Amino acid sequence: MADESSAREIARRVREGEVTAASVIDAHLTRATAAQPRLGAFTIIAAEAARARAGELDAALARGEDPGPLAGVPIAVKDNICTRGMVTTAASRILAGFAPPYSATVVERLEAAGAVVIGKTNLDEFGMGSSTENSGLHPARNPWDEARVPGGSSGGSAAAVCVGAAPLALGSDTGGSIRQPASLCGVTGLKPTYGRVSRFGLIAFASSLDQIGPFARDARDAALALDAIAGHDGRDATSADEPVEAHLAALEAAPERLEGMRVGLPREHLDLCRDDGVRAAVEAAVATLRDLGATVREVSLPLTPHGIACYQVISTAEASSNLARYDGVHYGHRAEGTENIVEMMSASRSEGFGAEVKRRIMLGTFVLSSGYYDAYYLRAQRVRSLIRRETLAALDEVDVLVGPTSPVTAFRLGERLTDPLTMYAVDAFTVGANLAGVPAVSAPCGADADGLPIGLQVTARPFREIDALRVVDAFQRATDHHARRPALADGRAPKEGSRG
Ligand code: GLN
């Protein structure tokens, strides 16, 4: 199995009988296992379950059945997304050993389309972080430079796709957790519109912001995955009952050029980006979009500097409520040797949660407490409304907004860990899409002086994922930034020459 086979190509070959699902899964499990000691991208590699599932698919094919558009496609799933019978911990000690009795809707849908879960990926505990250093298990590392972080919180998913352990992975994005690691690892990541994809079975961080989405090597594979997971789900009251278009087919039918596409450049996103390499790469990408026929104009999002504060108040408030359920009774870890139930709950939480999660719970409890509620939480809600209004107004004038995904490229492990504010600062351009509920894609658009990937963020109107994907797809057909791979060849499995 060639390293660079897309999910589309794998599914085609499996459906046409050119290769078996078993051989595809074996090759990817080998690669995932070989990279694991160096990258720590996985929390578990589910070799046995994946092989069993591949065997079932091959048997179905032998009977003449079509397993679906993702036949035999390996997929890595962020470990805050429930997989039935497969340990799901959100990288938290408090959920150690928790095997959910059901799968998330997204997992059910992917499996129904023929995909095979090969493992669960590492994350910042409960999704709280931007580097995957807050994992309660072990940090994940960036395949481009193992001394650097892969971004977060879905750092494991981004690293797994980057090294070809799987062509597709799922992540969740509350304030940038799909787009920022996609940017730092040089892969394509999509945060859909709030409500586009069911959150049923996603371990909640901040429910009004959380959204599940795919990582892939290009826009077309991301579209293929979105087609499988999007759509209404009666088990998630916030899932939208809006028609879902066939994104992959639409990309395949679209013209190569971008005539008629109106691109807006938020002035503040470039002004607030102090890294010359990132700014230059984004400006070059914009020039390419112009060459492809898009019209480009400046727009303004003056509230950008207030995004992080607004996001931190709302997300910690919601997290403090969502995480109340981890009490030593319902799930996971329970402290030993306590005298009564209050002590037991308190000790279980103290032992089970990591430092960043505790910080967020305390902040969230504070901003919701009486006397502070109006000053913090209510005010943040008002700012959120203004940010949403401002974003939608900009998107009234243009079809997509384009800018840097992250103000920085991959930073060194430890570099931002001791100062939470510098860690939060890297989310400056990503939190807006969550606060506004709009879809956004990150795609590779170049490299800095050290060869580290730079990401371009493309934001679209609600339920117009297709516009962002079209811009990225046209860009990827005209350039090859997305095809660049790290020289971590020795961290991979030996090249498989034959298969099937
Ligand atoms: N980095 C942001 C945070 O620390 C966003 C995380 C996320 O999207 N899950 O909260």
Side-chain angles (χ1 to χ4, degrees), residues 220-246:
R220 291 192 181 193
D221 268 7
L224 174 68
L226 179 64
D227 287 343
I229 61 176
H232 184 245
D233 177 13
R235 295 180 295 183
D236 170 4
T238 63
S239 102
D241 204 356
E242 292 276 327
V244 185
E245 75 176 289

Side-chain angles (χ1 to χ4, degrees), residues 363-409:
L363 273 171
T365 309
F366 176 76
V367 300
L368 288 174
S369 58
S370 86
Y372 296 100
Y373 182 93
D374 289 5
Y376 294 103
Y377 183 71
L378 203 62
R379 188 177 295 187
Q381 291 289 20
R382 294 206 178 104
V383 175
R384 180 181 187 171
S385 299
L386 295 174
I387 289 176
R388 179 173 164 81
R389 203 177 300 162
E390 165 179 297
T391 307
L392 295 178
L395 285 164
D396 252 356
E397 298 169 38
V398 293
D399 300 303
V400 293
L401 303 173
V402 162
T405 304
S406 164
V408 293
T409 54

Side-chain angles (χ1 to χ4, degrees), residues 78 127-130 152-153 172-177 205 311-312 360 427:
K78 188 177 183 180
M128 298 176 186
S130 306
S153 64
S172 64
D173 191 313
T174 307
S177 279
F205 164 7
Y311 165 80
Q312 282 292 337
R360 307 258 182 138
D427 304 329

